[in-house]
Amino acid sequence: MKARVHVMLKTGVLDPQGEAVRHALGALGFDGVEAVRQGKVIELDLAETDPAKAEAEVKAMCEKLLANTVIERYEIALD
Amino acid sequence: MKARVHVMLKTGVLDPQGEAVRHALGALGFDGVEAVRQGKVIELDLAETDPAKAEAEVKAMCEKLLANTVIERYEIALD
């Protein structure tokens, strides 16, 4: 079973990387970009085949390793 | 209009960051993880309201800045 995890900075946390991208896009002539946030996406191939168990396992991975929950939020999507 | 861009290494390109995550998950006791790929996700707030034009604009951003198309592939999703 495959899982895709998005890890983004929480709203209100300054995102200098996103800000740098927005600035660079402006410099390239893309004027219509109002805001940019950059995060991580992690694709996992899991041996687990039960969706509920897989989701619980991925949630534990996020809490323990993949996300810093003080400043980051995560979303889990299972395929 | 909002757009979300995923930038992942192409299949066959070595992903040391994903490999490091897989190894760290194994060390934490998550044994059922067969493969991990890590990429970037970029969320854009665009002034453009026409979906076709927005997609074309984001595609140009990917080709020029957001992705290194020699080793990375990208996916665009519009909200």
Side-chain angles (χ1 to χ4, degrees):
Chain A
M1 163 149 255
K2 282 174 188 263
R4 185 179 254 194
V5 178
H6 286 106
V7 180
M8 302 294 294
L9 287 166
K10 286 181 179 173
T11 311
V13 177
L14 199 69
D15 179 2
Q17 209 171 3
E19 200 47 35
V21 170
R22 194 184 64 78
H23 193 261
L25 287 171
L28 286 171
F30 296 105
D31 297 323
V33 183
E34 290 165 355
V36 180
R37 304 284 282 175
Q38 184 168 334
K40 289 179 287 187
V41 56
I42 300 153
E43 291 181 352
L44 302 154
D45 285 356
L46 302 170
E48 183 62 62
T49 52
D50 179 73
K53 282 187 196 161
E55 183 156 4
E57 195 179 12
V58 174
K59 191 158 187 277
M61 291 176 197
C62 289
E63 295 286 337
K64 285 192 188 162
L65 181 76
L66 303 179
N68 173 357
T69 54
V70 177
I71 55 167
E72 291 172 328
R73 64 185 162 80
Y74 58 85
E75 288 166 34
I76 298 166
L78 296 174
D79 292 336
Chain B
M1 162 148 258
K2 282 175 188 262
R4 185 178 254 195
V5 179
H6 286 106
V7 181
M8 302 294 293
L9 287 167
K10 286 182 178 171
T11 312
V13 178
L14 200 68
D15 179 1
Q17 209 172 1
E19 200 48 33
V21 170
R22 193 184 63 79
H23 192 263
L25 287 171
L28 285 170
F30 296 105
D31 296 323
V33 184
E34 289 165 355
V36 180
R37 304 284 284 176
Q38 184 168 335
K40 290 179 288 188
V41 56
I42 300 153
E43 290 181 352
L44 302 154
D45 284 356
L46 303 170
E48 184 61 62
T49 51
D50 179 72
K53 282 187 195 162
E55 182 156 4
E57 195 180 12
V58 174
K59 191 158 187 276
M61 291 176 197
C62 289
E63 296 286 338
K64 284 192 187 162
L65 181 76
L66 303 179
N68 173 356
T69 54
V70 177
I71 55 167
E72 292 172 327
R73 63 186 163 80
Y74 58 86
E75 288 165 34
I76 299 166
L78 297 174
D79 293 338

